Amino acid sequence: MRSSRQMNGSADVLDAVVVGAGWAGLGVSYWLARRGLRHSVLERGRIGETWRTQRWDSFRMNTPNVQTVMPGDRYEGPDPYGVLTRDQFVALLEDFAGRNGLPIEADTAVSELAQENGAYRLTTSHGTLRARNVIVASGNLNCPVRPISSDALPPDIYQIDASGYRSAADLPGGAVLVVGSGQSGAQIAEELAEAGRTVFLATSRVGRLPRRYRGRDVMIWLDESGLLDVRREEVIRLAGRIPPRGVLGSEHTISLQALGAQGIVLLGRLTGVADGGRLSFADDVEANVRFGDEASDNAKRHIDDYIGRAGIDAPVSDPDPAETVAWRQRDPAIGSLDLSRSGITSVVWCTGFKGDFSYVGLPDALDAAGQPVHTDGVGVLPGLYFAGLDFASTRKSGIILAIAEEAPRLVEHIVGHS
């Protein structure tokens, strides 16, 4: 799709430009169109490019189909509690953009966002645009972050980030070390083990959620009960920071103890890399397992309280195999590991992401870490907005559920300040 207005450097000023054609950018475009605002959506590649290129082959959504919907849509298919594959989700985005006639400028990368004569100027691979408002929806979880210690690994060790991993078959033969036991790390470690690989998992302090609880998908309970609406400020007050998302298997619960029962060797947090490929780990595996258990228990207590207050007739919970499996601590715990002697040939880094906003050349728009400065998605400069940021306003922010509320709110802000 390409808008009828070609980017030829003309003085024409659009009402808005959206950067990024993922679920956040498309959701904002939908509401801009409904409000009659002339706009364009700039996408560096194809619709859903990050979903196409930074998810492994067997990736599935963590929200059930009934929640994986775009603004104005609702799920009416035969499998409301199933989950979409990576490719099915991309097809959903393409269908949404096509049905709504959204003005997508594909293969159009933005190299600079600046201010000029009271408007914003966007320099792109196909020319220059000017707009009164810019909504940056390129995401803040698309650039992998590795610890500095990764540079000290021996050159014969194959290193890849979670965003580059596709399947076990693509890795060299031998054992695999997965670093980080958050959402991606836990799922990738499990897939590698199921493929018959010897897997070592450097764990971390990450919460966990059951996939189903008391007869329903846990995401439905969390949304309905209001837990996903907890404000960002309250999350920080309780946790001291924005924590990583709790581990939630796409089709079943994943726990550290269940991964251990599958034969995965659980290690503590990676603390250092010495010359010759010897790695050191904290003695915190048991604490990390316990933290996951506690997070799951807290979520279930919240759901139980909600069920009681609302007078919902919900069944008692069935035992979850991933949560009832016994945890067996190695004695002694593994404090160090020689990569060569352990047969490890590959390391998959699942150590977090940040956003690439290097094209945003606006004063005070980004913080010292190069990330957006905003309040509920509204930037510090008039007419500058950010959509789809993780934990931007609430726990819900950053997952597809949020765009139904976030997009119209941002667009109404634009209308109200035009």
Side-chain angles (χ1 to χ4, degrees):
M1 273 166 279
R2 180 169 287 277
S3 96
S4 58
R5 187 213 51 76
Q6 297 296 312
M7 288 176 284
N8 55 15
S10 71
D12 187 27
V13 180
L14 294 170
D15 293 318
V17 165
V18 181
V19 181
W23 57 260
L26 296 179
V28 171
S29 176
Y30 171 85
W31 277 101
L32 288 169
R34 284 178 67 89
R35 296 292 277 157
L37 298 177
R38 290 193 315 124
H39 71 285
S40 187
V41 182
L42 307 184
E43 168 54 55
R44 62 187 170 90
R46 299 156 292 178
I47 290 173
E49 185 69 18
T50 296
W51 293 92
R52 297 173 189 264
T53 60
Q54 295 190 355
R55 302 294 187 275
W56 55 93
D57 292 345
S58 65
F59 177 90
R60 287 179 176 270
M61 299 294 288
N62 286 321
T63 49
N65 292 338
V66 71
Q67 291 182 323
T68 308
V69 293
M70 294 294 288
D73 290 349
R74 64 179 182 179
Y75 183 79
E76 297 179 336
D79 189 17
Y81 305 115
V83 287
L84 296 182
T85 66
R86 173 196 63 191
D87 295 342
Q88 287 171 332
F89 182 62
V90 170
L92 179 150
L93 297 180
E94 290 182 317
D95 177 69
F96 177 80
R99 281 189 289 109
N100 291 287
L102 302 183
I104 312 299
E105 302 278 359
D107 298 314
T108 304
V110 178
S111 58
E112 184 184 27
L113 170 59
Q115 287 181 308
E116 181 181 85
N117 299 327
Y120 289 102
R121 184 189 75 244
L122 297 98
T123 304
T124 82
S125 53
H126 289 292
T128 302
L129 292 87
R130 298 179 69 237
R132 297 180 184 85
N133 300 279
V134 172
I135 304 93
V136 176
S138 52
N140 64 337
L141 295 175
N142 53 18
C143 292
V145 176
R146 294 185 189 181
I148 297 176
S149 58
S150 65
D151 295 335
L153 290 180
D156 60 335
I157 297 296
Y158 179 77
Q159 300 186 58
I160 192 170
D161 298 294
S163 58
Y165 171 80
R166 292 295 173 268
S167 72
D170 293 335
L171 302 183
V176 183
L177 169 64
V178 178
V179 181
S181 61
Q183 192 72 276
S184 298
Q187 293 190 29
I188 289 173
E190 182 179 61
E191 174 174 286
L192 290 168
E194 291 174 347
R197 305 298 288 266
T198 298
V199 182
F200 296 81
L201 176 62
T203 62
S204 42
R205 194 171 183 264
V206 182
R208 183 185 80 241
L209 290 169
R211 180 70 266 180
R212 290 187 63 82
Y213 184 65
R214 298 192 67 174
R216 300 175 71 179
D217 189 281
V218 73
M219 288 299 294
I220 295 174
W221 282 127
L222 297 184
D223 185 34
E224 187 178 301
S225 66
L227 188 62
L228 295 181
D229 295 318
V230 174
R231 293 282 305 174
R232 170 189 174 91
E233 298 81 5
E234 180 65 7
V235 173
I236 294 175
R237 186 187 71 80
L238 294 173
R241 62 189 178 106
I242 293 296
R245 297 279 183 185
V247 175
L248 179 61
S250 59
E251 297 180 286
H252 59 267
T253 304
I254 298 178
S255 69
L256 291 181
Q257 54 266 46
L259 295 178
Q262 289 178 258
I264 295 173
V265 180
L266 301 184
L267 308 166
R269 176 176 51 85
L270 176 65
T271 56
V273 179
D275 291 340
R278 176 165 288 279
L279 280 57
S280 57
F281 302 89
D283 183 15
D284 61 358
V285 178
E286 184 174 4
N288 293 337
V289 171
R290 186 169 58 250
F291 185 82
D293 290 343
E294 292 171 352
S296 179
D297 289 344
N298 288 338
K300 288 186 283 191
R301 276 195 295 270
H302 172 86
I303 294 169
D304 289 340
D305 290 345
Y306 167 71
I307 289 172
R309 293 194 311 271
I312 298 172
D313 183 15
V316 297
S317 61
D318 294 323
D320 190 320
E323 298 195 311
T324 57
V325 63
W327 158 242
R328 293 181 175 85
Q329 169 74 44
R330 285 177 176 266
D331 189 18
I334 298 175
S336 65
L337 199 66
D338 184 281
L339 293 176
S340 179
R341 291 182 180 179
S342 301
I344 295 172
T345 59
S346 305
V347 175
V348 182
W349 296 101
C350 302
T351 44
F353 293 87
K354 64 179 181 179
D356 179 9
F357 300 97
S358 57
Y359 60 89
V360 180
L362 299 169
D364 304 318
L366 305 177
D367 62 19
Q371 301 303 290
V373 177
H374 69 97
T375 301
D376 294 338
V378 179
V380 296
L381 301 176
L384 179 64
Y385 301 86
F386 297 90
L389 299 179
D390 203 37
F391 283 93
S393 303
T394 66
R395 277 199 176 111
K396 189 183 296 181
S397 302
I399 60 178
I400 192 172
L401 275 170
I403 199 60
E405 303 166 7
E406 181 178 288
R409 174 172 54 79
L410 293 180
V411 171
E412 289 307 309
H413 193 279
I414 291 172
V415 171
H417 289 77
S418 297

